[in-house]
Structures are given as structure tokens and as C-alpha cells.
Amino acid sequence: MRTLTGVPGLINEEDLATVRERSRIEDVVGSYVTLRPGGGGALVGLCPFHDEKTPSFRVTPARGFYYCFGCNAGGDVIGFVQQINNCSFVEAVEFLADRVGVQLRYTEGGGPRVEPGLRSRILEANRLAADFFAGQLTKPDAVAGRQFLTERGFDRDAAEHFGVGFAPTGGRELAKHLRAHKFSDDELIKASLIREGGWDYFQGRLLWPIRDAGRSVLGFGARRIFDDDRMPAKYINTRETPVYKKSHVLYGLDLARQHIAKKNQVVVVEGYTDVMAAHLAGVDTAVASCGTAFGDDHARLLSRLIGSTDALKGEVIFTFDGDAAGQAAALKVFSGDQHFISQTYVAIEPSGLDPCDLRIQHGDAAVRELIGRREPLYRYVMANTIGGFDLDRVDGRLGALRAAAPLVGSVRDHSLVNGYIHELAKMLGTDVDEVRREVSRAGRRTLPAAQARHREPPAYDEPPPEDDEPQLLGLPMPNPRDRTLEVERGTLRLMVRAPEVFTDAWNGVAVEDFTHPTYAAVFGAILAAGAAQADWPQPVLARLDDASASSVVAALATEPLLRPASPAYAAEYVAKLRLLAVSRSIANLKSKLQRTNPVDDQVRYNRMFAGLLELEQQRRELNDIAAGPAL
């Protein structure tokens, strides 16, 4: 269930409903995607979340949902803003509230956090500032900035491609420029574009615009290029603003997003020039954190970017220095590995060069080769962990095994675990069975429940000990073209799109009537939501905490019905669903009867036979109801 929690309070439910009502999904999506009529009241277009040539992206204005049949991305208008802008639920609501002119109230904290329209004003001011800075880079005052770029292998075309700019040394030029566009000093201070007193926030520095996935300018990163710069830090960034939060943004995301979706890969580098060098060298999935270390929020952001594809094929590759600081950074990232749904890797250049210097000294191919030499992050961390023990001593090998075993147990692709157990045993010179037992014990001691939900049981050579706790899994995504599940999906589609044609008890349908666990979860949420409401199926989504189930609801809301909705249509679907459930029960009961000796256990045999007759009667009655037009 998506939370409305934020600081300082919760969004008022009435305001949230108003934002949803006024935010027409076709208008919001249409500002990012060209939509055309697709039949059945739906609109279709090319999906903005993955590359495609044939439209598989569908928007249903009547229900307020979107769904892509190519990458399974789907949801309501708030979910679309979350995904396209890589922001939280609360931030998406506030974005839409500004768009439609709703002043949000919060149930605690004493009023709105940001005055209406301020976010859009800041974004517009940032856009104008980025254009201004880019124009200043060609001026005589910026010769030092141009020289800095040239020395690092970036020509004018590269500067324009990445929007690199220059903040004039005078310290008043930007403020004057933006005031001419009717911005107040108060707005510019809140945007972190000027300081109290009217001085420009950035002065005499080279600047990089930091954009979100939708190419809106959120803030800037600035590098010192003059020795007499009064700011001691080599890099400074925009202060935290209503649109810029350094732990939630990644530089280069606007240029990398489509390539990330296409290649199912993200390369995380450490600086602005490293991003530029990587992209120009052909590593066009590179991004970097802005003014802060890579953290859990960044990991969640990347997971949203590549979360709709095959997680075990996805790659998040980090480029760390090979020194102690790089090792510490790798450990920090590994400690938050549960936030990723893709495999994590590390690419270390033995010479210690970062991607920018590597490109300068050895060319584009060397940067590509650096990424090509990636190794699993766990293996890099494991090698450094083992390196801290004396493996010539028995106690040293035991200590190294106990330190490294949790790393092997946390490998995301468990089909590889057995191989890694053998690899660790070889590294330590220890018996394989001893390593396997320690890995199993470490998994039971340390595996968090939140992490376990995303993992499959380890594929060990031998069965795990009997006291192993079962691991929870995320729900699988059902195949919408699976004919054996056609009636289950069709019944749910009708419930999502036309709940009014069912009785209050959903015509007696039970969760047990659904064989696919995700469809069962969706119907369970429908039951929990109660009677259909005006904003249906929002109450259903609110009761789901599984991504696959939520995506199925979004898909069902956009799929056309095969016939006009009516109570008779619902009755036929329910009859076919119940008929399948009764048929399964009959098959199970017949199997039990065949295995029961009527002489040795006559009472039980007679009871089962009577139950079989009753089920056969139910099947005949359901056949009569279900014998309507083809569904």
C-alpha cells in the first residue's frame, strides 16, 4: 500500500481525492507521450519507459489508468508521475497539486509545506538559469572554464550536449536576468539561485545542470576553476529546495534513462566529468550522485528504473577507486544491496584512474573495457574481507569463513550460490561441506525478511537443514495470454472495470477459486476493499503491497471488455470460474476414491462418494449458467 506519509504530516484525504479527480491521466501522460485513439475508449502510444517501435502503451481515461503490455509498467496518474520523474508518492501528489492548482493540507504539521505553484516556478527559473549559464560559457569571462573542458577532452559539442555552463564572476548577472523574467528575490532564494542580499549563488564556476528523467532542471553542480575562488570546496551544489534533494537525484539520468531501460544496465560513476567521459566513450548508461555519497534512496531510484524487467539480467555497476576509500564505499553499497532488484557489480581500474582520466590517457575503448571487466560486487567485497585474515592459521581461516559466508548467502542469483561456495572454499583452502554449512547458518542468522522477499531458496547440492525457515517470495507476474488462466483474468477484469454488475458479495466468488497466486491476491484485495466506490479501483490498489499484483490491476483497468458489461455477463464469468474450481475438486475427490479401499474404510468411502455426487450436481448447474455467449 502506498503511504501518504511525509514531513511534516499526512496529505488530507479530500485534497488527495481532488488532485486525482482534476489530474486527467490523458493530459498528464500526453505531456510526455504522443497518444492516439486505440479503440474501446483507450489511447495508445510508445511507452516512455522502454524503447519500442510498435505502441504497446495504453491509457484508459475512463478509469484513469495506464499500462504497457511490453514492460508491464502500469498504474494511475500518480504512479505515472512517480515513475517518469523518479519521485516518491508524496512528491508526485505535490507535483500534480501544483499543476492543477490544489493547495494541499496536511493532517499534522500546521499547513502546507510549500506554497502552491512554487515548485513549477522554481523549475521554470532553473530552466532559464540553465540556458543563461550555457550561453555564458562562450563569453570571454569563461575562458578558464573552456580550457578546463578542453584539457579533459570535451569540445564545444560535448559541452552543449551535457548543458555545461558558466556562472559569471560579477555575481549579479543571473539575478538581474531572472528578475527581468518577473521572478521575485524570494522565489530565487528558495530556488537556491541567489543568496540573501541578492548575490548570485554560483559565481565564477563551471556548472552542470542536474535534471530528472523528464529533463526538468532540478539544480546545479558547480566546480571551482579560479584559484581566488572564495568558496573553499572544489564542488558545491544547489542547496536543498522543494525540487532538489541530493539524496534523490542522479546526474546524467535524463540522458541515460532510455539507454538504461534498453540495456537493463546502470553504471554509477563518481563525478560530472566521469559521466561525460563515459557517455562519450559509449557507456551511455552512466550516472553519478550529486554532492553526496551513493545511498539507499539512490538505490531505490535505480530499482524503479530497471524494476520492470528481468531482475537477474539487470546490472548496476559501480566504479570505485582501488584504494581504502573505494573499498569502504563498496562495503557501504553492499550493506544496502537489499534495495536493489538487479545484480550489483564493481569495475576497478588497476591504475587508479577515474573514467575521465582513463579516457584522456588511453581513449574511449579503455573506458568501455573498464566496464566490461566488471566483477560481482559481492566477490570484490569478499576478497577484501578475506584479505584481513591470516589464512595460514586455522583460526584465521575460520574467522575469514565466518566473515565471508554471509556475503555468499546474500548473492541474488541463487543458481550461482553453489559455484560460489566452491570458489570460497578454494580461496580459503577449506572443505566445501564446511563452507556450505557455514553459509546456510549465516543465511538463517542474518537474512532480513525484506531481503528474503526478493530471493529464491538457495540451490545447494544438498537439501538445507530441516530448521531452515521458509523464505518469502514476491508474487510472479502472470502471462496475460495464458489460456488456462483466461477465465480467472477475465473475471478480475470485469470486477475492476465494471464492479456494479456484481452483487455485494461478488456473486459468491472465493479466493480459492483462483489458481494463480497473483490473481488470488488481487481478488483478496477486492474483497478487502468492500463495495465499489466512485474512485474504484483505487481502494483495491491501496490494499496491495506487491508490485506484480498492482501492475495486474493497472493492466486490467486498461484492457477492453469483450462484451458490454451486464449482470448476466458477470454471472456467466462467475459460473465458468466456479465450474473450473468444482472440476478441480471432482478430480481430486476421484483420485482419493481410487486410493481408498471401500471395504477397509467404508464410512469414509461413502462420505466421499456422497460428496462426489453433490459436486457433480453443482457442475451440471454451473454448466447451464455458463452456457451463454463466448466470453
Side-chain angles (χ1 to χ4, degrees):
M1 180 174 65
R2 291 185 174 91
T3 178
L4 308 185
T5 304
V7 179
L10 305 178
I11 298 175
N12 180 280
E13 289 287 353
E14 292 182 1
D15 294 343
L16 178 63
T18 302
V19 169
R20 276 204 173 101
E21 180 183 351
R22 294 186 185 178
S23 300
R24 300 291 302 172
I25 193 167
E26 63 270 31
D27 295 335
V28 175
V29 175
S31 62
Y32 299 88
V33 180
T34 299
L35 297 173
R36 295 181 175 86
L43 302 170
V44 297
L46 295 176
C47 179
F49 305 119
H50 80 287
D51 287 344
E52 62 177 7
K53 296 181 179 179
T54 302
S56 59
F57 185 82
R58 188 179 183 91
V59 175
T60 307
R63 285 293 174 190
F65 277 84
Y66 73 96
Y67 187 77
C68 176
F69 292 91
C71 69
N72 297 324
D76 62 3
V77 66
I78 297 174
F80 179 84
V81 172
Q82 280 185 269
Q83 191 164 6
I84 198 73
N85 287 337
N86 296 287
C87 62
S88 69
F89 180 83
V90 172
E91 290 168 332
V93 174
E94 292 170 338
F95 173 88
L96 291 170
D98 286 343
R99 180 186 174 103
V100 297
V102 174
Q103 179 170 326
L104 297 174
R105 294 166 293 173
Y106 298 84
T107 57
E108 56 186 65
R113 290 174 288 180
V114 179
E115 55 265 35
L118 179 60
R119 283 181 182 79
S120 58
R121 291 287 288 170
I122 290 176
L123 290 174
E124 176 62 13
N126 284 343
R127 183 187 68 81
L128 293 171
D131 292 342
F132 174 80
F133 290 139
Q136 294 297 309
L137 187 60
T138 62
K139 302 293 178 65
D141 193 25
V143 63
R146 295 195 297 273
Q147 182 178 353
F148 174 92
L149 294 172
T150 300
E151 290 174 349
R152 284 155 181 79
F154 305 128
D155 57 18
R156 182 170 180 173
D157 288 341
E160 291 178 354
H161 179 69
F162 292 94
V164 183
F166 176 74
T169 55
R172 297 279 189 177
E173 289 87 343
L174 178 65
K176 180 180 178 181
H177 177 74
L178 293 178
R179 289 186 191 115
H181 284 80
K182 310 302 181 184
F183 285 93
S184 68
D185 281 13
D186 181 63
E187 290 173 325
L188 299 180
I189 291 171
K190 290 175 178 176
S192 189
L193 291 172
I194 70 172
R195 303 175 185 272
E196 296 285 352
W199 291 92
D200 292 346
Y201 187 77
F202 301 107
Q203 302 174 27
R205 290 206 167 211
L206 204 60
L207 285 102
W208 287 263
I210 300 167
R211 298 184 172 96
D212 62 16
R215 298 193 63 80
S216 296
V217 180
L218 306 178
F220 299 89
R223 193 196 191 280
R224 184 181 64 220
I225 56 175
F226 295 114
D227 293 337
D228 60 352
D229 193 314
R230 289 172 294 179
M231 299 291 290
K234 180 186 291 187
Y235 284 95
I236 60 173
N237 289 75
T238 297
R239 295 191 310 267
E240 297 267 315
T241 73
V243 302
Y244 179 81
K245 296 176 176 60
K246 61 185 179 182
S247 64
H248 292 75
V249 297
L250 291 168
Y251 175 70
L253 185 62
D254 56 313
L255 298 173
R257 182 175 64 83
Q258 289 287 352
H259 302 292
I260 290 170
K262 181 178 181 180
K263 299 179 179 179
N264 207 12
Q265 178 196 80
V266 179
V267 176
V268 182
V269 297
E270 294 192 337
Y272 305 114
T273 56
D274 290 333
V275 171
M276 295 177 69
H279 278 254
L280 294 174
V283 183
D284 49 16
T285 59
V287 297
S289 57
C290 304
T292 185
F294 189 92
D296 293 346
D297 289 327
H298 294 122
R300 296 185 185 97
L301 188 156
L302 293 183
S303 292
R304 289 199 296 268
L305 282 175
I306 58 180
S308 60
T309 51
D310 188 344
L312 294 181
K313 294 181 180 178
E315 297 181 344
V316 180
I317 304 169
F318 294 89
T319 60
F320 296 118
D321 293 334
D323 56 13
Q327 294 174 21
L331 281 168
K332 182 179 185 297
V333 169
F334 188 84
S335 67
D337 186 61
Q338 67 270 16
H339 297 299
F340 292 103
I341 63 167
S342 298
Q343 301 296 296
T344 47
Y345 295 83
V346 61
I348 302 294
E349 171 55 37
S351 65
L353 297 175
D354 59 32
C356 182
D357 290 334
L358 184 63
R359 178 173 178 263
I360 294 171
Q361 295 187 26
H362 301 289
D364 292 346
V367 178
R368 296 192 296 271
E369 290 169 5
L370 168 64
I371 305 305
R373 293 194 305 268
R374 63 194 178 277
E375 63 175 317
L377 177 62
Y378 96 91
R379 184 182 296 165
Y380 174 79
V381 173
M382 186 170 69
N384 282 280
T385 300
I386 293 174
F389 295 87
D390 183 358
L391 300 184
D392 292 331
R393 296 167 54 92
V394 173
D395 58 343
R397 290 193 295 273
L398 179 59
L401 173 58
R402 289 177 176 173
L407 305 179
V408 176
S410 64
V411 173
R412 195 171 303 281
D413 185 352
H414 288 290
S415 64
L416 302 175
V417 167
N418 189 63
Y420 292 154
I421 287 174
H422 284 265
E423 183 178 336
L424 177 57
K426 184 177 180 180
M427 294 172 66
L428 296 174
T430 304
D431 182 73
V432 171
D433 291 335
E434 182 181 352
V435 174
R436 183 178 290 111
R437 286 191 294 270
E438 185 60 35
V439 168
S440 180
R441 283 194 293 269
R444 295 198 302 276
R445 287 196 304 266
T446 63
L447 187 63
Q451 190 174 352
R453 280 197 294 269
H454 297 288
R455 304 183 188 273
E456 298 177 359
Y460 299 140
D461 283 345
E462 62 183 22
E466 292 184 0
D467 60 347
D468 269 3
E469 296 181 2
Q471 298 182 13
L472 301 175
L473 301 175
L475 293 174
M477 177 64 74
N479 183 352
R481 291 174 291 279
D482 188 340
R483 296 189 65 83
T484 63
L485 299 172
E486 186 175 1
V487 173
E488 293 184 28
R489 189 177 186 90
T491 304
L492 291 174
R493 183 193 304 120
L494 191 57
M495 289 177 173
V496 168
R497 297 212 56 177
E500 68 279 0
V501 301
F502 291 86
T503 65
D504 290 342
W506 298 102
N507 291 41
V509 174
V511 173
E512 295 75 19
D513 294 334
F514 296 89
T515 59
H516 195 285
T518 305
Y519 289 154
V522 170
F523 181 68
I526 289 174
L527 279 179
Q533 305 163 27
D535 60 346
W536 190 267
Q538 288 297 337
V540 179
L541 283 172
R543 287 160 175 81
L544 290 170
D545 58 2
D546 180 86
S548 294
S550 298
S551 185
V552 165
V553 173
L556 296 173
T558 64
E559 292 176 4
L561 298 177
L562 303 182
R563 285 167 45 197
S566 68
Y569 190 29
E572 291 172 19
Y573 251 126
V574 170
K576 287 184 180 291
L577 183 70
R578 293 288 301 128
L579 182 60
L580 291 173
V582 168
S583 298
R584 289 192 297 271
S585 297
I586 289 173
N588 291 335
L589 196 52
K590 283 183 176 179
S591 176
K592 290 180 181 179
L593 281 168
Q594 291 175 359
R595 299 193 304 271
T596 302
N597 189 322
V599 176
D600 296 340
D601 197 349
Q602 185 176 5
V603 174
R604 181 168 177 264
Y605 185 89
N606 290 340
R607 185 169 63 247
M608 287 192 295
F609 190 78
L612 179 62
L613 294 177
E614 183 178 345
L615 287 172
E616 289 286 5
Q617 176 62 29
Q618 290 182 29
R619 180 158 66 175
R620 286 191 292 272
E621 294 173 354
L622 290 169
N623 263 321
D624 292 339
I625 301 174
L631 297 176

